[in-house]
Amino acid sequence: MTWHWKELLPVDRFSVRTSNYITEMDRLTLTLLYQPLTGAISHSLYLTLLSQLEKDQYWSNELTHRQLMMLLGVSLEVIYEERKKLEGIGLLKTYKRKDEDGGATYLYELQPPMTPKQFFENDVLSVYLFNRLGKSHYRTLRERFTLDKIDHDQYTEMTYAFDEVFVSLHHSEMVTNLQSETGNALKMEKGKELLSINDQNEMIFTQFDFDLLVKSLSTFIVPEEILTSEVRKMISRLAFVYKIEPLEMSSILQQALLHDEKLDLLELRKKAQEWYKVEHGNEPPGIGMQKQPMNQQTMAGKEPQTEEERAIKFYETTSPLELLEIRSHGGKVAAADVKIIESLILDHQLFPGVANVLLDFMLYSHDMKLSKALIDKVAGHWSRKKVKNVKEAMQLALLEQRKANEASTQKVTQAQAKKRSGQRKQPQKRDKLPKWLVAEKQEQSTTESKANEKPNQKNEDEQSFEQMLEKLRKSKAQKGGK
């Protein structure tokens, strides 16, 4: 498992560079469009790195990451995680150089954000922004970056052409000798490049299996002609957002083909959206890492030998959405539960594997129901405890359950001691409870009394996480049977 301190140290130096203009419009786009997706700390990190570039300078002096920690007021681990968000969303490129003294120097190359037009036409970012802000806020924000179209037919263009204003140079005035003083002045120095603005600030997707897609295409389709570079990028984005597998994408691709065997990208996007609505309804997909990151997996490349290792492997290789689908026996996950998953990953910044443990713990502890308020409380606790991997989460869940059992046992002991002392109980006002709740309370009291009479019962510390879940599941099943 790779920890942040194996990748980055406070003494490691860094410098900031940009080969593109960062305009005021870019800053507005970063704040209003990117910040809802990356969070405030990533936004602050980008602007802090940008502030190291003085006016008309595009390469900063060297600083240490300790200085960056002081500027942001956060730990190096937070900087490392937030930096990855900027890299993933296409705002930062990171390069590392090993130094002779054994240290490392990083180069952070800032990338300008997409233009509002590129952003709202991007299949990935626009959908996630819609999901984060909601329909009303999303439309209001998009309206802010919208212009009224001009009907050019009502006007007569009067723009002068270049050759109507400028004249051609005479032969003697043209530069013909690159060895001349003028020719050398026009040539760029070696190792230099001019500032520019990228046409498209692209995010990189590497997970889609294009080989399987090609094999599944109809024999009448020539992949080399259809799957151009632009089409491949579109397919990768659509597959990521709408969770489309290669075989399903093959069918969607063939539906989007026109009669002359040309592919219309807008039609491809439309067909992908129609497929998603049929499969998942109108609720837009949410953002979130699919599975536990490889650098936080303890069972990566290992074959589990024990029940605990099998549980860890399951949580690490399953996405939270898949976990809820499994617990629902293949049923559709409710939109409210999907938002709980998003909140765990985005708001509380839990890794997917850790979120899986929390979801399972809450499901089996509360009769397969998810309470957002309670989950937020526990997730906030786990986040403050900086739980990063599945094993840590399982140990913490066991600790929580043990404390709950001890508190319950203590109540029973106190009640029995009071009863033995012969003290008269003061009459208490009793609230009227439904019969099913009274029966459940009586059953719970009986169960706790029996548990208290077993001196040789196994200590909760010795229980495995999966044993705890099984115990909770059986307890709830017995109650449901009665």
Side-chain angles (χ1 to χ4, degrees), residues 206-218 221 227 232 235-240 242-255 268 272 275:
T206 60
Q207 302 298 320
F208 190 77
D209 189 348
F210 277 98
D211 291 337
L212 181 56
L213 173 65
V214 170
K215 291 177 182 177
S216 61
L217 287 174
S218 168
I221 299 175
L227 299 178
R232 284 174 178 264
I235 288 174
S236 297
R237 292 199 300 268
L238 293 174
F240 174 79
Y242 298 111
K243 295 182 68 175
I244 305 175
E245 298 297 329
L247 295 179
E248 295 162 339
M249 182 60 77
S250 172
S251 174
I252 294 171
L253 192 65
Q254 294 179 59
Q255 293 176 39
L268 177 61
W275 175 88

Side-chain angles (χ1 to χ4, degrees), residues 171-234:
H171 180 75
S172 60
E173 297 175 296
M174 298 178 66
V175 178
T176 57
N177 185 4
L178 292 179
Q179 302 302 319
S180 68
E181 184 177 348
T182 306
N184 288 332
L186 292 177
K187 290 171 63 178
M188 283 293 299
E189 292 183 38
K190 189 176 181 181
K192 300 285 185 179
E193 64 178 348
L194 292 171
L195 289 168
S196 64
I197 297 179
N198 289 340
D199 292 333
Q200 178 75 16
N201 190 350
E202 295 179 352
M203 296 176 293
I204 301 172
F205 299 90
T206 60
Q207 302 298 320
F208 190 77
D209 189 348
F210 277 98
D211 291 337
L212 181 56
L213 173 65
V214 170
K215 291 177 182 177
S216 61
L217 287 174
S218 168
T219 54
F220 298 102
I221 299 175
V222 182
E224 291 78 12
E225 295 179 3
I226 299 298
L227 299 178
T228 63
S229 175
E230 187 178 11
V231 170
R232 284 174 178 264
K233 291 174 184 176
M234 174 68 80

Side-chain angles (χ1 to χ4, degrees), residues 34-45:
Y34 279 85
Q35 185 174 211
L37 302 184
T38 64
I41 300 179
S42 289
H43 177 257
S44 181
L45 174 59

Side-chain angles (χ1 to χ4, degrees), residues 189-430:
E189 292 183 38
K190 189 176 181 181
K192 300 285 185 179
E193 64 178 348
L194 292 171
L195 289 168
S196 64
I197 297 179
N198 289 340
D199 292 333
Q200 178 75 16
N201 190 350
E202 295 179 352
M203 296 176 293
I204 301 172
F205 299 90
T206 60
Q207 302 298 320
F208 190 77
D209 189 348
F210 277 98
D211 291 337
L212 181 56
L213 173 65
V214 170
K215 291 177 182 177
S216 61
L217 287 174
S218 168
T219 54
F220 298 102
I221 299 175
V222 182
E224 291 78 12
E225 295 179 3
I226 299 298
L227 299 178
T228 63
S229 175
E230 187 178 11
V231 170
R232 284 174 178 264
K233 291 174 184 176
M234 174 68 80
I235 288 174
S236 297
R237 292 199 300 268
L238 293 174
F240 174 79
V241 174
Y242 298 111
K243 295 182 68 175
I244 305 175
E245 298 297 329
L247 295 179
E248 295 162 339
M249 182 60 77
S250 172
S251 174
I252 294 171
L253 192 65
Q254 294 179 59
Q255 293 176 39
L257 283 174
L258 302 177
H259 298 296
D260 53 358
E261 298 301 314
K262 288 185 179 180
L263 185 66
D264 185 345
L265 294 181
L266 291 177
E267 186 67 17
L268 177 61
R269 181 190 299 174
K270 180 181 176 183
K271 293 297 182 183
Q273 292 170 347
E274 289 174 353
W275 175 88
Y276 183 85
K277 287 180 180 179
V278 170
E279 294 291 326
H280 304 285
N282 292 322
E283 189 71 21
I287 191 170
M289 291 178 287
Q290 296 297 308
K291 296 173 184 174
Q292 184 79 349
M294 289 299 295
N295 64 349
Q296 294 293 344
Q297 290 190 19
T298 58
M299 292 299 297
K302 299 179 183 178
E303 193 65 33
Q305 302 296 325
T306 64
E307 284 298 322
E308 182 184 30
E309 289 182 348
R310 275 189 280 273
I312 293 174
K313 184 84 171 180
F314 169 73
Y315 288 132
E316 288 181 342
T317 57
T318 305
S319 73
L321 187 62
E322 291 171 338
L323 175 77
L324 291 186
E325 288 175 348
I326 292 170
R327 297 298 179 243
S328 302
H329 305 288
K332 181 182 176 182
V333 179
D337 293 344
V338 174
K339 290 189 179 296
I340 288 177
I341 294 174
E342 287 185 24
S343 177
L344 290 175
I345 294 175
L346 289 172
D347 299 332
H348 298 288
Q349 298 186 8
L350 298 182
F351 286 121
V354 176
N356 283 336
V357 177
L358 177 54
L359 289 169
D360 243 5
F361 176 53
M362 300 305 293
L363 283 170
Y364 285 108
S365 300
H366 297 84
D367 199 20
M368 303 308 284
K369 295 190 292 287
L370 293 179
S371 168
K372 189 175 188 308
L374 184 57
I375 288 176
D376 282 342
K377 184 177 180 180
V378 177
H381 175 225
W382 287 22
S383 180
R384 290 189 294 274
K385 295 279 286 185
K386 301 187 186 307
V387 181
K388 298 298 182 185
N389 61 54
V390 170
K391 191 168 185 178
E392 292 173 356
M394 291 166 62
Q395 291 171 348
L396 192 55
L398 279 170
L399 182 63
E400 295 284 348
Q401 184 63 26
R402 191 184 78 240
K403 287 181 179 178
N405 290 345
E406 287 176 353
S408 178
T409 303
Q410 188 177 5
K411 284 183 180 180
V412 173
T413 304
Q414 290 174 349
Q416 291 176 342
K418 196 171 183 179
K419 186 176 181 180
R420 285 194 298 267
S421 67
Q423 295 178 0
R424 294 184 63 186
K425 294 183 180 179
Q426 295 293 328
Q428 297 179 354
K429 183 179 179 181
R430 294 178 177 271

